[in-house]
């Protein structure tokens, strides 16, 4: 016999939960609902994973996001200006924050994948138009983001939110 192993059911390793020290965490009830604190015991993401936020842009000066951005693209105006047209109170900035804001830093909110990066992709000017924007990603593959050459494909067909991941 060259190789043998037991035929058993292996339960996943139990990980301890993580409670971030961000003041907004207490009001983010959905993070406990999806089991984020337990998941954070195993991983908080990776800086090699880039989450593309397809929305009305992201605030480039938001303190919990500024260190998380990689260059994106404004498909609406066909340029590199990806700022949120409504500033920090717009739609794209909070979506980016929920996905990958700096977390466990004693300020702001907690995010799901706090060690990941964010690529802002502006696809509309008005958040009310987002459900109606037809995204190439909803049919399969975007190709690459502007001049970055970063390939990515749609993670979901939903537009106006986190809709793509690049690796």
């Amino acid at each position: 016999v060259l190789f043998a192993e037991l035929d058993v059911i292996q339960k996943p390793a139990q990980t301890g939960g993580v409670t971030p020290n961000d003041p907004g965490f207490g009001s983010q009830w959905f993070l406990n609902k999806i089991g984020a604190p337990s998941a954070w015991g195993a991983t908080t993401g990776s800086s090699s994973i880039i989450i593309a936020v397809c929305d009305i842009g992201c605030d480039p000066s938001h303190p919990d996001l500024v260190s998380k951005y990689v260059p994106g693209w404004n498909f609406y105006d066909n340029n590199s200006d990806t700022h949120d047209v409504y500033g920090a109170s717009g739609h794209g900035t909070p979506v980016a924050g929920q996905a990958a804001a700096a977390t466990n830093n004693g300020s702001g909110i907690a995010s799901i994948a706090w060690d990941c990066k964010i690529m802002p992709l502006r696809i509309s000017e008005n958040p009310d138009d987002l459900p109606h924007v037809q995204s190439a990603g909803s049919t399969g593959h975007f190709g690459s983001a502007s001049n970055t050459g970063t390939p990515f494909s749609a993670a979901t067909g939903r537009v106006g939110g986190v809709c793509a991941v690049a690796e």
Side-chain angles (χ1 to χ4, degrees):
V1 176
L2 297 175
F3 177 79
E5 67 180 19
L6 294 174
D7 186 13
V8 298
I9 296 174
Q10 183 69 36
K11 294 184 178 183
Q14 295 295 314
T15 59
V18 173
T19 303
N21 63 7
D22 304 280
F25 175 68
S27 62
Q28 293 179 280
W29 59 269
F30 51 88
L31 292 174
N32 283 312
K33 179 105 173 146
I34 66 170
S38 294
W40 292 326
T43 184
T44 55
S46 167
S47 62
S48 67
I49 298 174
I50 301 167
I51 302 171
V53 177
C54 304
D55 213 293
I56 61 171
C58 297
D59 179 359
S61 62
H62 192 286
D64 263 358
L65 299 173
V66 71
S67 67
K68 308 307 291 288
Y69 291 128
V70 299
W73 191 252
N74 179 338
F75 290 98
Y76 186 78
D77 292 324
N78 197 28
N79 62 41
S80 61
D81 180 6
T82 59
H83 80 277
D84 192 323
V85 295
Y86 295 102
S89 63
H91 190 265
T93 302
V95 169
Q98 296 298 328
T103 299
N104 212 23
N105 62 351
S107 70
I109 62 165
S111 68
I112 294 170
W114 74 63
D115 282 333
C116 293
K117 295 290 187 178
I118 300 165
M119 178 185 293
L121 300 176
R122 185 169 168 226
I123 60 170
S124 181
E125 182 174 53
N126 185 340
D128 294 335
D129 292 341
L130 288 172
H132 309 291
V133 173
Q134 188 56 254
S135 165
S138 65
T139 61
H141 186 72
F142 273 98
S144 68
S146 74
N147 301 327
T148 66
T150 303
F152 63 97
S153 59
T156 75
R158 178 171 163 26
V159 178
V162 176
C163 63
V165 176
E167 294 182 79

